[in-house]
Every structure is written in C-alpha cells, then in structure tokens.
Amino acid sequence: MRIAFVTTSWPAGPGDASGHFVQAEAAELERAGHEIVVVTPRVGHPGSAFGWPGAAARVAQRPLRAFDGARWIVAARARLRAIAVERVIAHWAIPCGWPIAVAARCPREGTSVVSHGADVRLLLGLPRPIRDCLAQTIAARVSTWRFVSEELQEELLGALGTRARARVARIAVVRAAPFDMPDVFAAGEQLRRSLGVAKVAVSVGRLVKTKRIERAIDYVAGSREMATLVVVGDGPERRRLERFARSRGVDARFVGLLPREKALAWMAAADVVLHGSAKEGLSTVVREAEALGKPVVWV
C-alpha cells in the first residue's frame, strides 16, 4: 500500500529530533512492506514558518513567515491531489488534517488525523462556533481521529458542542506515538563524569513560554539535593531563562539544541528529569525518560 504522511514535523536531517515520532511510525509501516510518501515543508531557511523552535514561535518572531506557511499549505494540498496514494495519515489535525487533507478531497475511508497536543490547544483557543465547525469538518472527512492520550481526547471532546462532540467521538481512538530508543547509557555516563557534581537534574525541550522551563529552575533552586540543572534545547526564551537562573543562584548549564541521541544521553546522565510543560497530549520526553529508567518530576 502507498501511504502519504502529511506533517509539519519531520526530521530535517540525521539527529534532528523534530518529528522523530512521526518518522518512527512511518518506519514501522515501511518495515511492514508499505511505500511511504512524506509531504512536509522545507525548513531551515530564514523565511520558513516551520522548524525549530516551532511554527508559533517562528511566526511570532517574524510575522511575515505566516505567508510561507500559507504557501506550503497550498503546495501540500496540490501535491496530495497529484500523487496516487491509498491512505493518508495527517499528523496534526491543523493544518495537516484541515485544511490540507480535507481540501485535497482525500478518500474518507483511507484518511486519518493524529493529534499530539499543540493542534488541540489551537482548537481550544478558538471561539466555540469556529472550534465546532472545524472539528465537524475534519470528522466528516476522515475515518479516524487519533489522539496520543486519553486526556487529550477528553480535553477536546469536553470543549465541543453536542453535535461536534458526537461526530468526533464516533471516530476517536487513543494510541501513543511510537518512538525508537537508541542505547545512550555509556554516553550518558561520560557526560555525568564531565560535570563533576553529585546530583544532576535535566530539562529537555524548546525554550518557549509553554514549556515553562523556569519551573525547573525554581525546583533546583529550592532543592537541597540537586547541584546542577542541565537545560537541553534552544529558543526565544533562552536569554531570559539564563538571567532567571542566575537570579535564583542556580548552576544551570544551557547546552543548546542537540541531536536527539545527545539529548537522550543527557537524560541518561540525570538523577531526575524535570518536566514543566503546559498541557501536552503525551510528552515524548517523559516517555523517553521512563524508558531510560529515570524518575520524572512534573514541576
């Protein structure tokens, strides 16, 4: 079967952590014998709306990037119409489910959308009539609306009107996104030794307001055990967070944006992984920490 993945999250190159969970799902289907076609925007150039540290942050930095986002939506819709596929999986209900897959008139029975969290938050931020209209439009054109956690599904259903809720509930399923876990314990031990401290806390994520990294800094500031906080990631909040860490007297090592295996190695080096993000569907970072046997503290 030929399957199209429509997504704004896809690794731009080896080691890129962006959308690795989408790539892992595509790889599973390839191993099962399916042919995968990926419809994703080009990232990395200054005018792109997509890429690190996320579309919302990039457009906020440079509002004209919104035009690049609109151009990609039009181009993706046209490409999806042109390629012959038997199934479409749209990761992120907005914009990949609507307006791309919906407007491309993909066959309903072969089309599914997947919500990871940011798209649900976007819907929740809209006025109820618009939210209901978009949810019903998506539900009418896809056979499955997959949520990566029960909490995420219930959050959206609870915010919809009666008719929209019933339509979405009929096609809603819950299934966590897959991910690959490389062996990073030896690298983690080396990083731990390089720090030369007794106790290490690690926080991993984009340095944007919704990730609430300041809560991790506050946690270490108030801890009698944690000597050092390692912050893995980058974004527009970095300078503010560095100043905040200094003001709280925290030994915070901001190591920047790293390839995924290096980020996982830092998690393997941790005594505890701190997670302060605003509502997410099912945090991949938390699941990765648990797979590494590391305790997670929600701060």
Side-chain angles (χ1 to χ4, degrees), residues 37-151:
V37 179
V38 181
V39 180
T40 192
R42 185 170 67 91
V43 300
H45 61 93
S48 174
F50 305 103
W52 192 268
R58 290 181 65 82
V59 172
Q61 288 173 337
R62 297 186 185 181
L64 289 178
R65 285 172 171 161
F67 291 104
D68 176 75
R71 282 194 296 269
W72 179 73
I73 288 171
V74 173
R77 196 166 56 198
R79 187 180 177 205
L80 202 52
R81 287 197 188 106
I83 58 179
V85 294
E86 300 165 80
R87 185 180 171 195
V88 175
I89 302 175
H91 275 268
W92 310 101
I94 297 175
C96 299
W98 183 93
I100 296 172
V102 168
R105 309 300 293 179
C106 300
R108 180 180 185 277
E109 290 307 314
T111 302
S112 60
V113 299
V114 186
S115 284
H116 297 271
D119 48 351
V120 170
R121 289 197 298 271
L122 177 57
L123 283 166
L124 294 177
L126 298 173
R128 167 70 73 79
I130 298 175
R131 182 191 314 145
D132 282 5
C133 180
L134 288 177
Q136 289 188 82
T137 299
I138 293 170
R141 293 296 307 160
V142 304
S143 59
T144 304
W145 192 331
R146 190 199 327 160
F147 297 86
V148 297
S149 74
E150 189 79 31
E151 179 185 10

Side-chain angles (χ1 to χ4, degrees), residues 6-291:
V6 185
T7 179
T8 56
S9 299
W10 188 265
D16 184 7
S18 301
H20 66 86
F21 44 87
V22 184
Q23 188 179 52
E25 181 180 343
E28 281 188 353
L29 291 170
E30 279 189 319
R31 287 192 292 269
H34 300 290
E35 179 186 354
I36 303 301
V37 179
V38 181
V39 180
T40 192
R42 185 170 67 91
V43 300
H45 61 93
S48 174
F50 305 103
W52 192 268
R58 290 181 65 82
V59 172
Q61 288 173 337
R62 297 186 185 181
L64 289 178
R65 285 172 171 161
F67 291 104
D68 176 75
R71 282 194 296 269
W72 179 73
I73 288 171
V74 173
R77 196 166 56 198
R79 187 180 177 205
L80 202 52
R81 287 197 188 106
I83 58 179
V85 294
E86 300 165 80
R87 185 180 171 195
V88 175
I89 302 175
H91 275 268
W92 310 101
I94 297 175
C96 299
W98 183 93
I100 296 172
V102 168
R105 309 300 293 179
C106 300
R108 180 180 185 277
E109 290 307 314
T111 302
S112 60
V113 299
V114 186
S115 284
H116 297 271
D119 48 351
V120 170
R121 289 197 298 271
L122 177 57
L123 283 166
L124 294 177
L126 298 173
R128 167 70 73 79
I130 298 175
R131 182 191 314 145
D132 282 5
C133 180
L134 288 177
Q136 289 188 82
T137 299
I138 293 170
R141 293 296 307 160
V142 304
S143 59
T144 304
W145 192 331
R146 190 199 327 160
F147 297 86
V148 297
S149 74
E150 189 79 31
E151 179 185 10
L152 190 64
Q153 174 187 269
E154 292 305 317
E155 188 174 11
L156 179 59
L157 291 177
L160 297 175
T162 303
R163 181 177 295 180
R165 186 186 309 121
R167 281 204 167 189
V168 174
R170 279 198 295 269
I171 62 169
V173 297
V174 175
R175 187 167 74 251
F179 62 88
D180 298 318
M181 180 59 70
D183 183 354
V184 295
F185 288 103
E189 184 60 33
Q190 289 181 347
L191 290 172
R192 177 62 179 265
R193 287 198 299 268
S194 72
L195 288 175
V197 296
K199 293 286 186 177
V200 181
V202 172
S203 177
V204 180
R206 292 175 292 125
L207 303 190
V208 295
K209 288 183 178 180
T210 58
K211 296 300 182 181
R212 302 191 298 197
I213 305 298
E214 64 273 8
R215 294 192 175 201
I217 295 170
D218 275 333
Y219 178 90
V220 174
S223 172
R224 295 181 179 179
E225 296 183 351
M226 292 300 123
T228 297
L229 171 66
V230 175
V231 180
V232 180
D234 210 341
E237 291 286 291
R238 178 167 177 166
R239 289 186 180 180
R240 182 185 71 82
L241 291 167
E242 289 174 331
R243 290 194 299 268
F244 182 66
R246 288 194 294 270
S247 74
R248 299 287 279 127
V250 172
D251 176 20
R253 317 283 180 93
F254 287 77
V255 298
L257 178 61
L258 300 175
R260 181 169 177 254
E261 286 201 21
K262 188 67 176 288
L264 290 172
W266 274 116
M267 291 168 66
D271 291 287
V272 63
V273 174
L274 304 180
H275 190 69
S277 180
K279 294 178 181 178
E280 294 189 13
L282 184 62
S283 170
T284 301
V285 168
V286 170
R287 294 173 64 210
E288 289 170 335
E290 291 172 345

